Coordinates of all heavy atoms in Angstrom, one line a residue:
M1 N 66.1 21.4 -65.4 CA 65.3 22.5 -64.9 C 65.8 23.8 -65.5 O 67.0 24.1 -65.4 CB 65.3 22.5 -63.4 CG 64.5 23.7 -62.8 SD 64.2 23.7 -61.1 CE 65.9 23.5 -60.4
A2 N 64.9 24.6 -66.0 CA 65.2 25.9 -66.6 C 65.5 26.9 -65.5 O 64.7 27.0 -64.5 CB 64.1 26.3 -67.5
T3 N 66.6 27.6 -65.6 CA 66.9 28.6 -64.6 C 67.2 29.9 -65.2 O 67.3 30.9 -64.6 CB 68.1 28.2 -63.7 OG1 69.2 27.9 -64.5 CG2 67.8 27.0 -62.9
D4 N 67.5 30.0 -66.5 CA 67.8 31.2 -67.2 C 66.6 32.1 -67.4 O 65.5 31.7 -67.6 CB 68.4 30.9 -68.6 CG 69.7 30.2 -68.5 OD1 70.4 30.3 -67.5 OD2 70.1 29.5 -69.5
D5 N 66.8 33.4 -67.3 CA 65.8 34.4 -67.4 C 65.5 34.7 -68.9 O 66.4 35.2 -69.6 CB 66.2 35.7 -66.7 CG 65.1 36.7 -66.5 OD1 64.2 36.6 -67.3 OD2 65.2 37.5 -65.6
M6 N 64.3 34.4 -69.3 CA 64.0 34.5 -70.7 C 63.8 36.0 -71.1 O 63.7 36.3 -72.3 CB 62.7 33.7 -71.1 CG 63.0 32.2 -71.1 SD 61.6 31.1 -71.3 CE 60.8 31.8 -72.8
R7 N 63.9 36.9 -70.2 CA 63.8 38.3 -70.5 C 65.1 38.7 -71.3 O 65.1 39.8 -71.9 CB 63.7 39.2 -69.3 CG 62.3 39.0 -68.7 CD 62.1 39.8 -67.4 NE 62.8 39.2 -66.3 CZ 62.7 39.5 -65.0 NH1 61.9 40.5 -64.7 NH2 63.4 38.8 -64.1
S8 N 66.1 37.8 -71.4 CA 67.3 38.1 -72.2 C 67.0 37.9 -73.7 O 67.8 38.3 -74.5 CB 68.4 37.1 -71.8 OG 68.0 35.8 -72.2
G9 N 65.8 37.4 -74.0 CA 65.4 37.2 -75.4 C 65.7 35.8 -75.9 O 65.5 35.4 -77.1
F10 N 66.3 34.9 -75.1 CA 66.6 33.5 -75.4 C 65.8 32.6 -74.6 O 65.7 32.8 -73.4 CB 68.1 33.2 -75.3 CG 69.0 34.0 -76.3 CD1 69.5 35.2 -75.9 CD2 69.2 33.5 -77.5 CE1 70.3 35.9 -76.8 CE2 69.9 34.2 -78.4 CZ 70.5 35.4 -78.1
C11 N 65.3 31.5 -75.2 CA 64.6 30.5 -74.4 C 65.5 29.7 -73.5 O 66.6 29.3 -73.9 CB 63.9 29.5 -75.4 SG 63.0 28.2 -74.6
S12 N 65.1 29.6 -72.2 CA 65.9 28.9 -71.2 C 65.8 27.4 -71.4 O 66.6 26.6 -70.8 CB 65.5 29.3 -69.8 OG 64.1 29.0 -69.6
L13 N 64.9 26.9 -72.3 CA 64.8 25.4 -72.5 C 65.5 25.0 -73.8 O 66.4 24.2 -73.7 CB 63.3 25.0 -72.5 CG 63.1 23.5 -72.5 CD1 63.6 22.9 -71.2 CD2 61.6 23.3 -72.7
C14 N 65.1 25.6 -74.9 CA 65.7 25.2 -76.2 C 66.8 26.1 -76.7 O 67.5 25.7 -77.6 CB 64.6 25.0 -77.2 SG 64.0 26.6 -77.9
G15 N 67.0 27.3 -76.1 CA 68.0 28.2 -76.5 C 67.6 29.1 -77.7 O 68.4 29.9 -78.1
G16 N 66.4 28.9 -78.2 CA 66.0 29.7 -79.4 C 65.8 31.1 -79.0 O 65.8 31.5 -77.9
D17 N 65.8 31.9 -80.1 CA 65.7 33.4 -79.9 C 64.4 34.0 -80.4 O 64.3 35.1 -80.7 CB 66.9 34.1 -80.6 CG 66.8 33.9 -82.2 OD1 65.9 33.2 -82.7 OD2 67.7 34.5 -82.8
E18 N 63.3 33.2 -80.4 CA 62.0 33.6 -80.7 C 61.1 33.7 -79.5 O 60.1 33.0 -79.4 CB 61.3 32.7 -81.8 CG 62.1 32.9 -83.1 CD 61.2 32.3 -84.2 OE1 60.0 32.5 -84.2 OE2 61.8 31.7 -85.2
V19 N 61.5 34.6 -78.5 CA 60.8 34.8 -77.3 C 59.8 36.0 -77.5 O 60.3 37.0 -77.9 CB 61.7 35.0 -76.1 CG1 61.0 35.3 -74.8 CG2 62.6 33.7 -75.9
H20 N 58.6 35.8 -77.1 CA 57.6 36.8 -77.2 C 57.0 37.1 -75.8 O 56.9 36.2 -75.0 CB 56.5 36.4 -78.2 CG 57.0 36.3 -79.6 ND1 56.9 37.3 -80.5 CD2 57.7 35.3 -80.2 CE1 57.4 36.9 -81.6 NE2 57.9 35.7 -81.5
E21 N 56.7 38.4 -75.6 CA 56.1 38.8 -74.3 C 54.6 39.1 -74.4 O 54.2 39.7 -75.3 CB 56.9 40.1 -73.8 CG 56.4 40.6 -72.5 CD 57.2 41.8 -72.0 OE1 58.4 41.9 -72.4 OE2 56.6 42.6 -71.3
A22 N 53.9 38.6 -73.4 CA 52.5 38.9 -73.3 C 52.1 39.1 -71.9 O 52.9 38.9 -71.0 CB 51.7 37.7 -73.9
E23 N 50.9 39.5 -71.6 CA 50.4 39.7 -70.3 C 49.2 38.7 -70.0 O 48.4 38.5 -70.9 CB 49.9 41.1 -70.0 CG 51.0 42.1 -69.9 CD 50.5 43.5 -69.6 OE1 49.3 43.8 -69.7 OE2 51.4 44.3 -69.1
M24 N 49.2 38.1 -68.8 CA 48.2 37.2 -68.4 C 47.4 38.0 -67.3 O 48.0 38.4 -66.3 CB 48.7 35.9 -67.9 CG 47.7 34.9 -67.5 SD 46.7 34.2 -68.8 CE 48.0 33.2 -69.6
A25 N 46.1 38.1 -67.4 CA 45.3 38.8 -66.4 C 44.1 37.9 -66.2 O 43.6 37.2 -67.0 CB 44.9 40.2 -66.9
G26 N 43.6 38.0 -64.9 CA 42.4 37.3 -64.6 C 42.2 37.1 -63.1 O 42.9 37.7 -62.3
Q27 N 41.2 36.3 -62.8 CA 40.8 36.0 -61.4 C 41.8 35.0 -60.9 O 41.4 33.8 -60.8 CB 39.4 35.6 -61.3 CG 38.4 36.7 -61.5 CD 38.4 37.6 -60.4 OE1 38.6 37.3 -59.2 NE2 38.0 38.9 -60.7
L28 N 43.0 35.4 -60.6 CA 44.0 34.5 -60.0 C 44.9 35.3 -59.2 O 44.9 36.5 -59.3 CB 44.7 33.7 -61.1 CG 45.3 34.5 -62.2 CD1 46.7 34.8 -62.0 CD2 45.1 33.7 -63.5
G29 N 45.7 34.7 -58.4 CA 46.6 35.5 -57.5 C 47.6 34.5 -56.8 O 47.4 33.3 -56.9
L30 N 48.6 35.1 -56.2 CA 49.5 34.4 -55.5 C 48.9 33.9 -54.2 O 48.2 34.7 -53.5 CB 50.8 35.2 -55.2 CG 51.6 35.6 -56.5 CD1 52.7 36.6 -56.1 CD2 52.2 34.3 -57.1
R31 N 49.2 32.7 -53.7 CA 48.7 32.2 -52.5 C 49.7 31.2 -51.9 O 50.6 30.7 -52.7 CB 47.4 31.6 -52.6 CG 47.4 30.3 -53.4 CD 46.1 29.6 -53.6 NE 46.3 28.3 -54.1 CZ 45.3 27.4 -54.2 NH1 44.1 27.7 -53.8 NH2 45.6 26.2 -54.7
K32 N 49.7 30.9 -50.6 CA 50.5 29.9 -50.1 C 49.9 28.6 -50.5 O 48.7 28.5 -50.8 CB 50.6 30.0 -48.6 CG 49.3 29.8 -47.8 CD 49.5 30.0 -46.4 CE 48.2 29.8 -45.6 NZ 48.4 30.0 -44.2
P33 N 50.7 27.5 -50.6 CA 50.1 26.2 -51.0 C 48.9 25.8 -50.1 O 49.0 25.9 -48.9 CB 51.3 25.2 -50.8 CG 52.5 26.1 -50.9 CD 52.1 27.4 -50.3
G34 N 47.8 25.4 -50.8 CA 46.6 25.0 -50.1 C 45.7 26.2 -49.6 O 44.6 26.0 -49.1
G35 N 46.2 27.4 -49.8 CA 45.4 28.6 -49.4 C 44.4 29.0 -50.4 O 44.4 28.4 -51.5
L36 N 43.6 29.9 -50.1 CA 42.5 30.4 -51.0 C 42.7 31.9 -51.1 O 42.5 32.6 -50.2 CB 41.2 30.0 -50.5 CG 40.0 30.4 -51.4 CD1 40.1 29.8 -52.8 CD2 38.7 30.0 -50.8
L37 N 42.9 32.4 -52.3 CA 43.0 33.8 -52.6 C 42.6 34.1 -54.0 O 43.3 33.5 -54.9 CB 44.4 34.3 -52.3 CG 44.7 35.8 -52.7 CD1 43.9 36.7 -51.8 CD2 46.2 36.0 -52.6
M38 N 41.6 34.8 -54.3 CA 41.2 35.2 -55.6 C 41.4 36.7 -55.8 O 40.8 37.4 -55.0 CB 39.8 34.8 -55.9 CG 39.6 33.3 -55.9 SD 40.5 32.3 -57.0 CE 39.7 32.7 -58.5
K39 N 42.1 37.1 -56.8 CA 42.4 38.5 -57.0 C 42.7 38.7 -58.5 O 43.3 37.8 -59.1 CB 43.5 38.9 -56.1 CG 43.9 40.3 -56.1 CD 45.0 40.6 -55.0 CE 45.3 42.1 -55.0 NZ 46.4 42.3 -54.1
V40 N 42.4 39.8 -59.0 CA 42.7 40.1 -60.4 C 44.2 40.6 -60.4 O 44.5 41.6 -59.7 CB 41.8 41.2 -61.0 CG1 42.3 41.6 -62.4 CG2 40.4 40.7 -61.1
N41 N 45.0 39.9 -61.1 CA 46.5 40.3 -61.2 C 46.9 40.2 -62.6 O 46.2 39.6 -63.4 CB 47.3 39.3 -60.4 CG 47.5 39.6 -58.9 OD1 47.8 40.8 -58.6 ND2 47.3 38.7 -58.1
V42 N 48.0 40.9 -62.9 CA 48.5 40.9 -64.2 C 50.0 40.4 -64.1 O 50.7 40.8 -63.3 CB 48.6 42.3 -64.9 CG1 49.3 42.3 -66.2 CG2 47.2 42.9 -65.0
F43 N 50.3 39.4 -64.9 CA 51.6 38.7 -64.9 C 52.2 38.9 -66.3 O 51.5 38.8 -67.3 CB 51.5 37.2 -64.6 CG 50.9 36.9 -63.2 CD1 49.5 36.7 -63.1 CD2 51.7 36.9 -62.1 CE1 49.0 36.4 -61.9 CE2 51.1 36.6 -60.9 CZ 49.8 36.4 -60.7
T44 N 53.5 39.1 -66.3 CA 54.2 39.1 -67.6 C 54.5 37.6 -67.9 O 55.0 36.9 -67.1 CB 55.5 39.9 -67.5 OG1 55.2 41.2 -67.2 CG2 56.3 39.8 -68.8
V45 N 54.2 37.2 -69.1 CA 54.4 35.9 -69.6 C 55.4 35.9 -70.8 O 55.1 36.6 -71.8 CB 53.1 35.1 -69.9 CG1 53.4 33.7 -70.4 CG2 52.2 35.1 -68.8
L46 N 56.5 35.2 -70.8 CA 57.4 35.1 -71.9 C 57.2 33.7 -72.5 O 57.3 32.7 -71.8 CB 58.8 35.3 -71.4 CG 59.0 36.7 -70.8 CD1 60.4 36.7 -70.1 CD2 59.0 37.8 -71.8
V47 N 57.0 33.7 -73.8 CA 56.7 32.4 -74.5 C 57.7 32.2 -75.7 O 57.9 33.1 -76.5 CB 55.3 32.4 -75.0 CG1 55.0 31.0 -75.7 CG2 54.3 32.7 -74.0
C48 N 58.3 31.1 -75.7 CA 59.2 30.7 -76.9 C 58.3 30.1 -77.9 O 57.6 29.1 -77.7 CB 60.2 29.7 -76.4 SG 61.2 29.1 -77.8
T49 N 58.3 30.7 -79.1 CA 57.4 30.2 -80.2 C 58.1 29.0 -80.9 O 57.4 28.4 -81.7 CB 57.1 31.3 -81.3 OG1 58.3 31.8 -81.8 CG2 56.3 32.4 -80.6
G50 N 59.3 28.7 -80.5 CA 60.0 27.5 -81.1 C 59.5 26.3 -80.4 O 59.1 25.3 -81.0
C51 N 59.6 26.3 -79.0 CA 59.2 25.0 -78.3 C 58.0 25.2 -77.4 O 57.6 24.2 -76.9 CB 60.4 24.6 -77.5 SG 60.8 25.6 -76.1
G52 N 57.5 26.4 -77.2 CA 56.3 26.5 -76.3 C 56.6 26.7 -74.9 O 55.7 27.0 -74.1
H53 N 57.9 26.7 -74.5 CA 58.2 26.9 -73.1 C 57.9 28.3 -72.7 O 58.0 29.3 -73.5 CB 59.7 26.7 -72.9 CG 60.2 26.8 -71.5 ND1 59.8 26.0 -70.5 CD2 61.0 27.8 -70.9 CE1 60.4 26.4 -69.3 NE2 61.1 27.5 -69.6
L54 N 57.4 28.5 -71.4 CA 57.1 29.8 -71.0 C 57.6 30.1 -69.6 O 57.8 29.2 -68.8 CB 55.6 30.1 -71.1 CG 54.6 29.3 -70.3 CD1 54.5 29.8 -68.9 CD2 53.3 29.3 -71.0
Q55 N 57.7 31.4 -69.2 CA 58.1 31.8 -67.9 C 57.1 32.9 -67.5 O 56.7 33.7 -68.3 CB 59.5 32.5 -67.8 CG 60.6 31.5 -67.8 CD 62.0 32.2 -67.6 OE1 62.1 33.5 -67.7 NE2 63.0 31.5 -67.4
W56 N 56.7 32.9 -66.2 CA 55.8 34.0 -65.7 C 56.7 34.9 -64.8 O 57.6 34.4 -64.1 CB 54.8 33.3 -64.8 CG 53.8 32.5 -65.5 CD1 54.0 31.5 -66.3 CD2 52.4 32.6 -65.4 NE1 52.8 30.9 -66.7 CE2 51.8 31.6 -66.2 CE3 51.5 33.4 -64.6 CZ2 50.4 31.4 -66.3 CZ3 50.1 33.2 -64.7 CH2 49.6 32.2 -65.6
H57 N 56.4 36.1 -64.8 CA 57.1 37.1 -63.9 C 56.0 37.9 -63.2 O 55.1 38.4 -63.9 CB 58.0 38.0 -64.7 CG 59.2 37.2 -65.3 ND1 60.4 37.0 -64.5 CD2 59.4 36.6 -66.4 CE1 61.2 36.3 -65.2 NE2 60.6 36.0 -66.4
V58 N 56.2 38.1 -61.9 CA 55.2 38.9 -61.1 C 55.8 40.2 -60.9 O 56.9 40.4 -60.4 CB 55.0 38.1 -59.8 CG1 54.0 38.9 -58.9 CG2 54.4 36.7 -60.0
P59 N 55.0 41.3 -61.1 CA 55.5 42.6 -60.7 C 55.7 42.7 -59.2 O 54.9 42.3 -58.4 CB 54.4 43.6 -61.1 CG 53.5 42.8 -62.0 CD 53.7 41.4 -61.7
M60 N 56.9 43.0 -58.8 CA 57.3 42.9 -57.4 C 57.5 44.3 -56.8 O 58.3 45.1 -57.3 CB 58.6 42.1 -57.2 CG 58.9 41.6 -55.8 SD 57.7 40.5 -55.1 CE 57.7 39.1 -56.2
D61 N 56.8 44.6 -55.7 CA 57.0 45.8 -54.9 C 57.2 45.4 -53.5 O 57.1 44.2 -53.1 CB 55.8 46.8 -55.1 CG 54.4 46.2 -54.7 OD1 54.4 45.2 -53.9 OD2 53.4 46.7 -55.1
E62 N 57.4 46.3 -52.6 CA 57.7 46.0 -51.2 C 56.6 45.3 -50.5 O 56.7 44.4 -49.7 CB 58.2 47.2 -50.4 CG 59.6 47.6 -50.7 CD 60.6 46.6 -50.4 OE1 60.5 45.9 -49.3 OE2 61.5 46.4 -51.2
E63 N 55.3 45.7 -50.8 CA 54.2 45.1 -50.1 C 54.0 43.6 -50.5 O 53.8 42.8 -49.7 CB 52.9 45.9 -50.5 CG 51.7 45.4 -49.9 CD 50.4 46.2 -50.2 OE1 50.5 47.2 -50.9 OE2 49.3 45.7 -49.9
R64 N 54.1 43.4 -51.8 CA 54.0 42.0 -52.3 C 55.2 41.1 -51.8 O 55.0 40.0 -51.4 CB 53.9 41.9 -53.8 CG 53.8 40.5 -54.3 CD 53.4 40.4 -55.7 NE 52.0 40.8 -55.9 CZ 51.4 41.3 -56.9 NH1 52.1 41.5 -58.0 NH2 50.1 41.6 -57.0
R65 N 56.4 41.7 -51.8 CA 57.6 41.0 -51.3 C 57.4 40.6 -49.8 O 57.7 39.5 -49.4 CB 58.8 41.8 -51.5 CG 60.1 41.2 -51.2 CD 61.3 42.0 -51.5 NE 61.5 42.1 -52.9 CZ 61.3 43.2 -53.7 NH1 61.0 44.4 -53.1 NH2 61.5 43.2 -55.0
D66 N 56.9 41.6 -49.0 CA 56.7 41.3 -47.6 C 55.7 40.3 -47.4 O 55.8 39.4 -46.6 CB 56.3 42.6 -46.9 CG 56.1 42.4 -45.4 OD1 57.1 42.0 -44.7 OD2 55.0 42.7 -44.9
W67 N 54.6 40.3 -48.1 CA 53.5 39.3 -48.0 C 54.0 37.9 -48.3 O 53.8 37.0 -47.6 CB 52.3 39.7 -48.9 CG 51.2 38.8 -48.8 CD1 50.1 38.9 -47.9 CD2 51.0 37.6 -49.6 NE1 49.3 37.8 -48.1 CE2 49.8 37.0 -49.1 CE3 51.6 36.9 -50.6 CZ2 49.2 35.8 -49.6 CZ3 51.1 35.8 -51.1 CH2 49.9 35.2 -50.6
L68 N 54.8 37.8 -49.4 CA 55.3 36.5 -49.8 C 56.2 36.0 -48.7 O 56.2 34.8 -48.4 CB 56.1 36.6 -51.1 CG 55.2 36.7 -52.4 CD1 56.0 37.2 -53.6 CD2 54.5 35.4 -52.6
R69 N 57.1 36.8 -48.2 CA 58.0 36.3 -47.2 C 57.3 35.9 -45.9 O 57.8 35.0 -45.2 CB 59.0 37.4 -46.8 CG 60.0 37.6 -48.0 CD 61.0 38.8 -47.7 NE 62.0 38.9 -48.7 CZ 62.6 40.0 -49.0 NH1 62.4 41.1 -48.4 NH2 63.5 40.0 -50.0
R70 N 56.2 36.5 -45.5 CA 55.5 36.2 -44.3 C 54.5 35.0 -44.5 O 54.3 34.2 -43.6 CB 54.6 37.4 -43.8 CG 55.4 38.5 -43.2 CD 54.5 39.6 -42.7 NE 53.8 40.3 -43.7 CZ 52.5 40.2 -44.0 NH1 51.7 39.5 -43.2 NH2 52.0 40.9 -45.0
K71 N 53.9 34.9 -45.7 CA 52.8 33.9 -45.9 C 53.2 32.6 -46.7 O 52.4 31.7 -46.7 CB 51.7 34.6 -46.6 CG 51.1 35.8 -45.8 CD 50.3 35.3 -44.6 CE 49.6 36.5 -44.0 NZ 48.8 36.0 -42.9
T72 N 54.3 32.6 -47.3 CA 54.6 31.4 -48.2 C 55.9 30.8 -47.7 O 56.8 31.4 -47.3 CB 54.7 31.8 -49.7 OG1 55.7 32.7 -49.8 CG2 53.4 32.4 -50.2
P73 N 55.9 29.4 -47.9 CA 57.2 28.7 -47.5 C 58.3 29.0 -48.5 O 58.0 29.1 -49.7 CB 56.8 27.3 -47.5 CG 55.6 27.2 -48.3 CD 54.9 28.5 -48.3
R74 N 59.5 29.2 -48.0 CA 60.6 29.4 -48.9 C 61.2 28.1 -49.4 O 61.3 27.1 -48.6 CB 61.7 30.2 -48.2 CG 62.9 30.5 -49.1 CD 63.9 31.3 -48.4 NE 65.0 31.5 -49.3 CZ 66.1 32.2 -48.9 NH1 66.2 32.6 -47.7 NH2 67.1 32.3 -49.7
V75 N 61.5 28.0 -50.6 CA 62.2 26.8 -51.2 C 63.7 27.0 -51.0 O 64.2 27.9 -51.7 CB 61.8 26.6 -52.7 CG1 62.6 25.4 -53.2 CG2 60.3 26.4 -52.8
R76 N 64.3 26.3 -50.2 CA 65.7 26.4 -50.0 C 66.6 25.9 -51.1 O 66.2 24.8 -51.6 CB 66.2 25.8 -48.6 CG 65.5 26.3 -47.4 CD 66.0 27.7 -47.1 NE 65.3 28.3 -46.0 CZ 65.5 29.5 -45.5 NH1 66.5 30.2 -46.1 NH2 64.9 29.9 -44.5
P77 N 67.6 26.6 -51.5 CA 68.5 26.0 -52.6 C 69.1 24.7 -52.2 O 69.5 24.5 -51.0 CB 69.6 27.1 -52.7 CG 69.0 28.3 -52.1 CD 68.1 27.9 -51.0
R78 N 69.2 23.8 -53.2 CA 69.8 22.5 -53.0 C 70.9 22.4 -54.0 O 70.8 22.8 -55.2 CB 68.8 21.4 -53.2 CG 67.7 21.4 -52.1 CD 66.9 20.2 -52.3 NE 66.2 20.2 -53.7 CZ 65.0 19.9 -53.9 NH1 64.2 19.4 -53.0 NH2 64.5 20.0 -55.1
P79 N 72.0 21.6 -53.7 CA 73.0 21.4 -54.7 C 72.4 20.6 -55.9 O 71.5 19.8 -55.7 CB 74.0 20.6 -54.0 CG 73.7 20.7 -52.5 CD 72.3 21.1 -52.4
P80 N 72.9 20.8 -57.1 CA 72.4 20.0 -58.2 C 72.6 18.5 -58.0 O 73.6 18.1 -57.5 CB 73.2 20.5 -59.4 CG 73.9 21.7 -59.0 CD 73.9 21.7 -57.5
Q81 N 71.6 17.7 -58.4 CA 71.8 16.2 -58.3 C 72.5 15.7 -59.5 O 72.3 16.2 -60.6 CB 70.4 15.6 -58.2 CG 69.7 16.0 -57.0 CD 68.3 15.2 -56.9 OE1 68.0 14.5 -57.7 NE2 67.6 15.5 -55.8
R82 N 73.3 14.8 -59.3 CA 74.2 14.2 -60.4 C 73.7 12.8 -60.8 O 73.1 12.1 -60.1 CB 75.6 14.1 -60.0 CG 76.2 15.5 -59.7 CD 77.6 15.3 -59.2 NE 78.0 16.7 -58.7 CZ 79.1 17.2 -59.0 NH1 80.0 16.5 -59.6 NH2 79.4 18.4 -58.5

């Protein structure tokens, strides 16, 4: 599982250094699983042109952070499986 932040300029999957930044915009939005929410949002998308792996980043402010904490389930950290 990829955990490295590709904003460093390196792909978190293949380790390549051909990471490009784009924006994704459209009728989509963050929602809790199974919920319904349609909203125009802009997300930063980082794409490795070597292997095609990508990461999405959401602009985070206090309002969005508060909404996420109240409305979506938290994924609790687990020890790595061996």
